[in-house]
């Protein structure tokens, strides 16, 4: 297990280094941010002065070295447009993105587990087939389209929920803040829950066909007891890695949905940065998102190895086989 952790950690660090390099180079190739910050009457001297003020007149290798040095200090740079710290701005906007992600993820799990289980357990009934069809449909609909449908129904037609926005006082009034997040949470949970329900259904069908479950039933155990004692413990392991992937996917979906509902989170920061060619803001949001996705995947893999003795024994067996060879 120790050697696996070392290899997996090395792969994580290599992925992070590659992500930092690719993001830095690609954003520099997209254009010069100076032209987004000056007026049309600017002279060549004005352009050179603005380039020097932003530091983009230096060789790209020098800019990259300064950026890497800042990362080791926890500094993601300063916004070209607002002149605020990118790190501080990301932390401030996480007050919206993190609750939106976690609540949506929890709700999607609550939806997916019973729907996926019933769709597998009662696959030969009409309602099992209906659950399966609904999960297929929900996962196929684009998340922004679901958001538009919910806004049309609950905000425009019924008028029971706000169409978008977030309280200026942030979380000073939790009920008001949660009300503002209701439609975005439902939007993400419907799509993410549908996708997760398909994985739960597939894992449940695989478990229901296993020999140990049929043996337990043949020995006289009730179905619920056999399912709880044998099937659940074996079936939860592959679902863990799926949950890790789904959590990362939910975070990415939250960034997209924030723009549909005009929420002041990381998604709004990213789109504003793209429009203004604000390299530090765009780079900071993309890097933070990439790091979070990679770390979640890393933790999911490690947790799966810790809970499944078969994976640990396969590692030991591979090492013994190599030693014998």
């Amino acid at each position: 297990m120790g050697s696996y952790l070392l290899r997996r950690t090395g792969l994580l660090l290599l992925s992070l280094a590659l992500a930092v390099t690719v993001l830095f180079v690609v954003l520099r190739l997209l254009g010069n941010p100076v032209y987004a910050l000056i007026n049309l009457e600017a002279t060549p001297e004005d352009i050179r002065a603005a380039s020097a003020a932003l530091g983009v007149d230096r060789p790209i290798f020098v800019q990259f070295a300064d950026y890497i040095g800042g990362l080791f200090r926890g500094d993601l740079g300063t916004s070209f447009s607002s002149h605020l710290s990118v790190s501080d701005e990301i932390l401030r906007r996480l007050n919206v993105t993190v609750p939106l992600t976690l609540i949506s993820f929890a709700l999607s799990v609550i939806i997916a587990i019973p729907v996926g289980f019933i769709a597998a357990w009662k696959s030969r009934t009409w309602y099992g087939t209906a659950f399966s069809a609904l999960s297929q449909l929900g996962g196929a609909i684009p998340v922004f389209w679901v958001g538009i449908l919910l806004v049309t129904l609950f905000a425009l037609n019924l008028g029971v929920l706000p169409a978008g926005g977030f309280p200026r006082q942030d979380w000073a009034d939790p009920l008001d803040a949660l009300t503002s997040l209701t439609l975005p949470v439902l939007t993400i949970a419907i799509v993410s829950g549908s996708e997760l329900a398909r994985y739960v259904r597939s894992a449940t069908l695989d478990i229901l066909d296993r020999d140990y479950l049929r043996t337990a039933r043949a020995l006289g155990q009730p179905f619920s007891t056999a399912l709880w004692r044998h099937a659940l413990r074996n079936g939860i392991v592959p679902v863990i890695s799926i949950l890790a992937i789904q959590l990362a996917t939910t975070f990415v979906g939250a960034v997209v949905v924030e723009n549909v509902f005009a929420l002041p989170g990381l998604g709004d920061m990213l789109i504003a940065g793209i429009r203004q060619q604000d390299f530090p803001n765009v780079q900071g949001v993309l890097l933070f998102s990439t790091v979070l996705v990679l770390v979640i995947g890393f933790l999911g893999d490690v947790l799966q190895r810790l809970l499944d003795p078969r994976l640990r024994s396969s590692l030991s067996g591979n090492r013994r086989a190599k030693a014998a060879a």
Side-chain angles (χ1 to χ4, degrees), residues 115-242:
V115 169
F117 178 77
I118 294 174
W121 183 28
K122 300 295 184 180
S123 59
R124 298 182 183 276
T125 63
W126 68 267
Y127 52 89
T129 304
F131 279 163
S132 180
L134 288 175
S135 64
Q136 295 285 344
L137 178 63
I141 300 176
V143 65
F144 65 88
W145 196 61
V146 176
I148 293 174
L149 290 178
L150 292 180
V151 167
T152 303
L153 176 61
F154 291 102
L156 300 182
N157 293 342
L158 300 179
V160 295
L161 290 171
F166 198 73
R168 289 187 176 182
Q169 64 272 25
D170 211 13
W171 287 90
D173 186 351
L175 182 59
D176 194 16
L178 288 174
T179 302
S180 299
L181 293 180
T182 300
L183 286 183
V185 165
L186 288 176
T187 299
I188 300 172
I190 289 173
V191 177
S192 297
S194 299
E195 295 174 350
L196 185 58
R198 289 184 294 173
Y199 290 113
V200 174
R201 178 182 180 274
S202 178
T204 304
L205 285 174
D206 181 63
I207 290 171
L208 294 176
D209 195 43
R210 291 299 179 92
D211 291 337
Y212 57 76
L213 188 61
R214 287 197 294 266
T215 302
R217 293 295 307 279
L219 292 175
Q221 289 188 1
F223 177 78
S224 58
T225 303
L227 189 68
W228 178 260
R229 289 184 178 179
H230 306 285
L232 184 61
R233 290 189 300 174
N234 290 277
I236 196 64
V237 174
V239 174
I240 289 175
S241 60
I242 300 301

Side-chain angles (χ1 to χ4, degrees), residues 285-299:
V285 174
L286 291 178
L287 180 60
F288 178 84
S289 304
T290 302
V291 170
L292 186 63
V293 170
L294 290 175
V295 170
I296 290 174
F298 169 78
L299 294 177

